[in-house]
Amino acid sequence: MRDLTGRTVDYLRLSVTDLCNYRCIYCMGEEGVCKLPHREICSIEELTEMSRAAVACGVRKIRLTGGEPLVRWGILDLCRMLRDLPGLEELAMTTNGTLLPQMAGELKAAGVDRLNISLDTLDEARFRTITRRGELREALAGLAAAEAVGFTGTKVNAVLLGGVNDADIAPLAELARDRDLSVRFIELMPIGECADWPEERFRTADAVLQAVPALERIGQDGVAELYRAPGWRGTVGLIRPISCCFCAACDRIRITADGRLKPCLHSRQEISLRGLHGMELEETIRQGVAVKPLRHHLAAGGSDSPRAMHEIGG
Ligand code: SAM
Ligand code: SF4
């Protein structure tokens, strides 16, 4: 699919739930989410039908996200059904990793190709502070489980939280020294829970280059600038939605767990896909792509999206 400016759109981020077992300070309120009535959340069959239509329109990669995708009832069935879609080249998932010790093997068997595991610190106390209820050892066990069942090309995603996890940048990057991992640092975006945070929380990705001066630029991987230090096995990626807006290369659309197509993460624009089938569903997805906004306006005042990150999926 192409939008009106000629950008190719072939990547769908599918949010399967707005619920989560963590309460990360920048993503969700302490009290969690007000659980939506069951009927407002798409069934596994509806999510599959929307994905099938997106693939028929030209989507080649689907990433399952949330909330936490692994708390979604029926997630393995969904993975199996998506994996069977003709034309889908990659099925990936972004997870906080806590349920991977139980589920990594089943996810692999269900056809998930690659995992992104979110990990913002390697310090136990800070992990508790950031996630409000998680334990570092759970996330590390999740990462180990993914490796043990044979996932390759796993990415560790860390959000840069100025004044909170600055001391974690170097230790997190070091995860890529001896392992086939890409550790990616993401600039915090002012949306939802952290929309009104003070400026000092929003570090640019240059902080990574200062913390790990040995990093050398080796190229680009999608939206991530790619670096490696001499002798390291893995890579370090910098994702700069704020300091280097990459909207001109944006290749993605999103579908929320309540069945709304979001052509842009930071736009108010949402198009309901629920109740649509066949050609009508496909045509609505194509129209959504056609009107994809040119760019976000984060630097000029924040996100226009009324939704929080856990309702969209990142
Ligand atoms: N629960 C899963 C997880 O944490 O990996 C998937 C959903 S989470 C919303 C997806 C990603 O968005 C995570 O890597 C999270 O750190 C990131 N994220 C959440 N809020 C963010 C924000 N305001 N700016 C940048 N990244 C954010
Ligand atoms: Fe949950 Fe992921 Fe949001 Fe943390 S970032 S609260 S793990 S959805």
Side-chain angles (χ1 to χ4, degrees), residues 84 186 228 251 287:
D84 282 347
I186 305 168
R228 180 177 267 133
D251 59 357
Q287 282 167 9

Side-chain angles (χ1 to χ4, degrees), residues 26 65-68 94-96 118 159 187-189 191 194 309 313:
Y26 52 86
T65 177
E68 172 48 42
T94 296
T95 169
N96 62 30
S118 302
V159 176
E187 291 175 348
L188 179 68
M189 293 178 273
I191 177 172
C194 62
M309 270 306 231

Side-chain angles (χ1 to χ4, degrees), residues 3 37 67 125 145 168 220 237 240 262:
D3 72 359
D168 292 296
Q220 188 78 20
R240 300 175 177 269
K262 277 184 77 69

Side-chain angles (χ1 to χ4, degrees), residues 123-136:
D123 176 89
E124 287 180 18
R126 276 199 292 280
F127 193 88
R128 276 184 222 117
T129 304
I130 293 172
T131 63
R132 289 207 187 93
R133 51 177 60 189
E135 292 295 333
L136 175 63

Side-chain angles (χ1 to χ4, degrees), residues 100-101 104-106 108 115 117 140-152 154 179 181:
L100 286 176
E106 288 175 299
K108 186 121 189 56
L115 294 174
I117 300 177
L140 294 179
L143 187 55
E147 279 178 325
V149 302
F151 277 106
T152 55
T154 300
R179 300 155 99 169
L181 279 181

